[in-house]
Amino acid sequence: MQRWEAVPSPVSHVFWRQKRAFQLAEDTYADWVLFAVTEGRFRYGIGAARGEAGFGDLVFCPPQTTFHREVIDPVSFHFYTFRWSSLDGRVLNETSGPEPAPCGKISIRDHNRLSSTYFYLQQRLADGLPKERALALLRHLFTDLWLLGRLESEPFVRPARSDQADPDLAEAAQWIQRNAFGPVRMKELGAAKGWSAVQLTRRFAAAYGQTPMDYLTSLRLNKAKTLLLETDMTLDEIAGECGYENGFYLSRMFSKKLRISPSAYRRMHRV
């Protein structure tokens, strides 16, 4: 069996919402661990891999490896422990897996696809299914996260992405995340870095696969979807929380990007 054929098989899954601090600043685990961040940010250190993770990031930690972490902004994330299995279902030993195995952060640029996977994960959690059946369903969605990660970093030794080589782009992405739900003026962001609007757009798109405005929109619509499903807020109220002037404009953007109106999305998917 070629090692790249190994697939992850979840052992356990918990969703942590708005965690303001980790109980332990560092820990080690007997199995592999994945933190899939849906909101907020945290710092991590796993061997030589160090950095910050937020929405769109998957953070992998091998077994018996110290996982340092510190919350920056209240963070929500799916916490998986898992092992590697062969394609025929055989569980491999704890050190087996793809070569080279993932360690540290993989950033997913397809936020629409990722948001959809997270939505279905949340739906499964709300179903109250027996543990074995829930794990079977979660296994499929976990595999989807894994395949998204593989698409971003195949093979895992691919040359470093340009945002990793250019800290200014990472800071630009973090600035958008911090300011996403209020007034955002991209000209100010570009000016702070000494870039024109065209330079900002070109460099950001080369690093993240989407323009700064598309990235901003994905963050806002992801929050809008959460508020539609988890609150009884009106569309105007949700628009205010997501950085839009009114419910009409939010509805127009939501329908354009997601091919469904906010009211239909709430009616069809709320559990």
Side-chain angles (χ1 to χ4, degrees):
M1 182 191 69
Q2 297 179 24
R3 294 291 296 280
W4 61 265
E5 291 180 330
V7 293
S9 180
V11 175
S12 65
H13 169 269
V14 176
F15 180 67
W16 291 97
R17 187 185 302 278
Q18 291 286 303
K19 197 169 183 63
R20 297 184 176 275
F22 293 106
Q23 290 179 311
L24 298 174
E26 61 181 58
D27 203 355
T28 58
Y29 301 90
D31 292 307
W32 284 80
V33 164
L34 168 65
F35 280 24
V37 185
T38 64
E39 186 180 16
R41 296 190 68 77
F42 76 98
R43 292 188 186 89
Y44 67 89
I46 305 169
R50 299 182 180 277
E52 297 182 3
F55 176 77
D57 294 329
L58 309 178
V59 180
F60 292 87
C61 181
Q64 307 304 329
T65 302
T66 304
F67 191 163
H68 302 270
R69 56 276 179 106
E70 178 187 3
V71 173
I72 300 173
D73 298 314
V75 62
S76 300
F77 59 96
H78 294 276
F79 172 38
Y80 273 105
T81 62
F82 67 96
R83 297 168 185 164
W84 297 101
S85 299
S86 62
L87 291 179
D88 60 10
R90 291 183 295 109
V91 176
L92 307 177
N93 66 56
E94 66 177 20
T95 59
S96 296
E99 290 186 346
C103 179
K105 180 173 73 173
I106 296 175
S107 296
I108 307 299
R109 290 176 291 183
D110 188 346
H111 284 183
N112 286 336
R113 170 73 179 274
L114 185 64
S115 295
S116 176
T117 298
Y118 284 155
F119 165 73
Y120 286 112
L121 274 170
Q122 289 298 110
Q123 190 176 47
R124 294 287 75 79
L125 290 173
D127 284 344
L129 299 173
K131 180 180 178 181
E132 290 303 317
R133 186 178 175 193
L135 272 178
L137 291 169
L138 290 169
R139 183 176 294 113
H140 171 77
L141 295 169
F142 182 29
T143 301
D144 191 57
L145 289 176
W146 165 243
L147 292 176
L148 282 173
R150 286 293 296 266
L151 289 172
E152 293 290 345
S153 56
E154 178 73 72
F156 287 108
V157 292
R158 188 177 67 180
R161 279 175 29 194
S162 56
D163 63 310
Q164 294 174 325
D166 187 346
D168 283 338
L169 284 172
E171 289 179 8
Q174 292 167 17
W175 184 90
I176 294 173
Q177 292 164 6
R178 289 194 302 270
N179 296 280
F181 309 121
V184 174
R185 297 176 179 85
M186 292 297 178
K187 289 183 179 180
E188 294 180 2
L189 173 58
K193 298 296 181 184
W195 302 331
S196 68
V198 172
Q199 288 174 320
L200 171 62
T201 298
R202 182 181 298 129
R203 296 179 67 168
F204 196 96
Y208 291 101
Q210 59 185 327
T211 68
M213 284 304 301
D214 285 340
Y215 181 55
L216 172 66
T217 298
S218 70
L219 294 174
R220 288 178 167 179
L221 294 185
N222 185 62
K223 183 172 183 177
K225 289 191 292 185
T226 298
L227 293 176
L228 283 167
L229 298 180
E230 297 185 359
T231 76
D232 293 317
M233 295 171 66
T234 66
L235 197 57
D236 280 334
E237 290 171 336
I238 292 174
E241 290 292 320
C242 296
Y244 291 116
E245 293 182 2
N246 53 57
F248 174 78
Y249 189 70
L250 168 59
S251 180
R252 189 170 70 176
M253 290 299 297
F254 197 101
S255 299
K256 178 181 178 181
K257 294 293 184 180
L258 303 178
R259 309 298 184 189
I260 187 173
S261 70
S263 58
Y265 181 86
R266 172 178 265 174
R267 183 171 60 253
M268 291 175 61
H269 299 296
R270 198 167 190 175
V271 294

